[in-house]
Amino acid sequence: MKALRCFCVCSLLLLKVSAGFGDLRCPENVSVDSLNTRYVLRWDWPHETAANQTVTFTVQCLDEFRSRKASNEKYRTSLCVNVLEHRCDFTGAELSYDICFLLRVRANTSQQSSGWVQIRFCPDEHAALGPPSSLKLSSVKEDLEIIITDPLSSTNQSMKTLLKNKLSYLIQYWRRSEGPQKAKVLETKNNLVMLTELDRQTWYCVRVQSHDDFHNKSSVFSDTHCTRTEGQMPYWQIFLYVLISLLLCLLLVLLYFCFNKMLSLLKNTFCPAVHLPDHIQELWLSESETPQLLAPESPESVCEPLVMVSAELDAVAVDEHSNAGEQDSSTHSRHSSGDSGVYSTEEDSSHRSTTHADLQMSSRKHGVELRDGTLRELCA
């Protein structure tokens, strides 16, 4: 009888266990996202359930040291109970930073629960370290002053206190024109740092990284801050700036003259200042007639007769007339010295009229010859 009774009890227990854990699957890909003392447990649960069942999740935490005791269930702490999300933010649990914990999660429905999935989590080893909470950069004469504020916990406590003074900083600084690839590195544990031996009147950029010396883990870099050092500018730099300015001015002047020259050339080519006369433009634009120059039909339509009487010809005619008069008077005096005065007067007047008529005829003849020659030259 006792054996039969024990068999029935064991069968009932197995049925309960199979009903509780046999059908519902466990969460997958359980991990912890952490930064300083902010902790979030995440998991996946891609399995299907019955249509009328809602799946929730429960997360518990246990100190690793107490887990070695036999009666450790009473030391377990529930961080999240029956949550629908696939995450559990247990930052408010305020776990000790230098102690390891066992975290476990399971899926639940109204009728059954899955098995537990457990991971080990040590905040000081596994939690990511954040960069400095703030960084101030200022120029002090020729140096740069850097004020670093420690990364803070969820309760605004300095991480340097939690890390037991194992926190240091890695400072990178460089000229803004060069870039971070040529940065100089300075490691320090101080929150106030002076960067010396810098160039005057030069822009520098700085960024800082937190480092845990004990576990050898580093944070991401902080935001980059840039400022310019003070002090008098070096003479070579002043001379270089002046030279560059002069070259730029010269280049602008050359460009200006080249532009004006090109503009004037284009204007003279496409819009000349000299215009053709109106009658030539009319002939040029006419479609019925071919533009051509007007040719005169005869020289007389263009050239006019020009009569020229040479002064030398008049003088020669006068000399001939005077010589002829002297000869006539001498001859007349020899042959008819005894004639009367009336005859002499009539003879002289007739001789003068004859001589004047001959002079006009010779002048006209000479003028006609000159006119014919001039017309030939003008109308050739």
Side-chain angles (χ1 to χ4, degrees), residues 123-138:
D124 60 341
E125 181 181 355
H126 300 146
L129 182 63
S133 57
S134 67
L135 179 67
K136 294 182 179 179
L137 181 65
S138 59

Side-chain angles (χ1 to χ4, degrees), residues 75 139 153 159 161 163 170 173 178 249-250 256 262 299 320-321 368 371 380:
Y75 298 109
S139 177
S153 65
M159 291 300 297
T161 303
L163 293 173
L170 190 68
Y173 62 97
E178 295 178 351
C249 292
L250 180 61
Y256 176 76
M262 185 64 66
E320 291 177 354
H321 175 66
V368 170
R371 184 181 64 181

Side-chain angles (χ1 to χ4, degrees), residues 257-297:
F257 278 108
C258 292
F259 177 76
N260 284 345
K261 189 69 176 178
M262 185 64 66
L263 185 62
S264 178
L265 180 62
L266 293 175
K267 185 177 179 181
N268 293 333
T269 303
F270 297 101
C271 299
V274 179
H275 297 281
L276 295 174
D278 294 338
H279 63 280
I280 297 180
Q281 291 184 4
E282 291 177 358
L283 293 174
W284 183 266
L285 297 176
S286 177
E287 296 180 357
S288 59
E289 297 181 2
T290 303
Q292 59 182 357
L293 294 177
L294 295 177
E297 297 179 355

Side-chain angles (χ1 to χ4, degrees), residues 10 21 40 45 141 173 177 199 206 242 267 284 289 303 306 311 313 339 375 380:
C10 290
F21 300 103
V40 178
W45 201 82
K141 294 183 179 179
Y173 62 97
S177 58
D199 295 336
V206 177
V242 173
K267 185 177 179 181
W284 183 266
E289 297 181 2
C303 301
L306 178 63
L313 182 60
D339 292 339
L375 286 176

